[in-house]
Amino acid sequence: MKLGIKKVHENEWLVHIGYASIRLDRFSVELLNITLEHLVALEHGQTHSTLTSYIKLGCRIRELDDAGVQLLVRGVDNQDLLKLMLVAQDETLNEVVLRNVGGILAKQLKADMANPAPPNNDVAKAAIKRVVEKMFELECQGKIEFFDKNTQYI
């Protein structure tokens, strides 16, 4: 069986599976990747958490510069951001977000994180999905850019 993926446009990918082909946006491609990782793990008798994969996508916020984080947090619901921070339990992520939201919102988020009532998996996945979709949308519009150690410019 043939399996392949090809980037068509900035936010459009063409996925070939056998004789079928389908056009997907970037988030759908990431979901396909999560599903394939899950299936491979199950095939080898291992466990795999889709929530962990969602969290991994959400933690890409750490790769944004301050202006990008500020643009993102203005475009997402504060409760979705809080749920991501609660389930990720990532100090770097928390620091980046709290540094780039307004002072009042930072205090509110800190207070909400001090008395955590962790959301259930489905609620957390839905919240993270909305944050990541906004992230990809802003990236495709050229408004934010992810930087990592491999990012180079000529």
Side-chain angles (χ1 to χ4, degrees):
M1 175 178 11
K2 285 174 62 176
L3 180 64
I5 186 168
K6 177 182 172 184
K7 185 174 184 178
V8 178
H9 296 290
E10 192 62 37
N11 191 30
E12 187 176 12
W13 298 77
L14 187 61
V15 178
H16 296 279
I17 303 173
Y19 292 106
S21 64
I22 186 169
R23 292 183 184 271
L24 300 173
D25 64 357
R26 174 112 184 250
F27 185 70
S28 299
V29 171
E30 293 293 340
L31 289 179
L32 178 63
N33 187 35
I34 290 170
T35 303
L36 292 174
E37 286 175 359
H38 184 73
L39 292 173
V40 168
L42 291 177
E43 188 175 276
H44 294 352
Q46 302 167 344
T47 59
H48 182 269
S49 168
T50 55
L51 178 60
T52 303
S53 296
Y54 273 63
I55 292 169
K56 184 177 165 185
L57 284 175
C59 284
R60 290 192 66 204
I61 293 172
R62 299 178 303 211
E63 300 170 20
L64 296 171
D65 61 3
D66 287 345
V69 175
Q70 291 165 13
L71 188 60
L72 176 66
V73 297
R74 282 194 306 263
V76 297
D77 185 274
N78 298 335
Q79 289 301 309
D80 290 343
L81 202 55
L82 175 65
K83 289 172 184 146
L84 170 61
M85 293 167 69
L86 284 172
V87 296
Q89 297 180 356
D90 184 296
E91 289 301 320
T92 307
L93 173 69
N94 295 349
E95 177 188 320
V96 166
V97 170
L98 293 174
R99 183 178 68 229
N100 287 290
V101 296
I104 295 172
L105 181 56
K107 287 179 184 177
Q108 182 63 47
L109 289 172
K110 282 181 186 177
D112 290 344
M113 289 172 50
N115 302 317
N120 69 36
N121 286 356
D122 293 332
V123 171
K125 279 189 224 178
I128 296 170
K129 178 180 184 240
R130 289 187 291 270
V131 172
V132 172
E133 283 178 330
K134 186 63 172 181
M135 215 171 16
F136 286 147
E137 177 187 323
L138 292 171
E139 182 186 24
C140 290
Q141 293 171 355
K143 294 181 179 179
I144 63 173
E145 184 176 0
F146 293 96
F147 296 96
D148 63 11
K149 62 183 181 230
N150 298 322
T151 303
Q152 297 180 0
Y153 291 100
I154 298 176

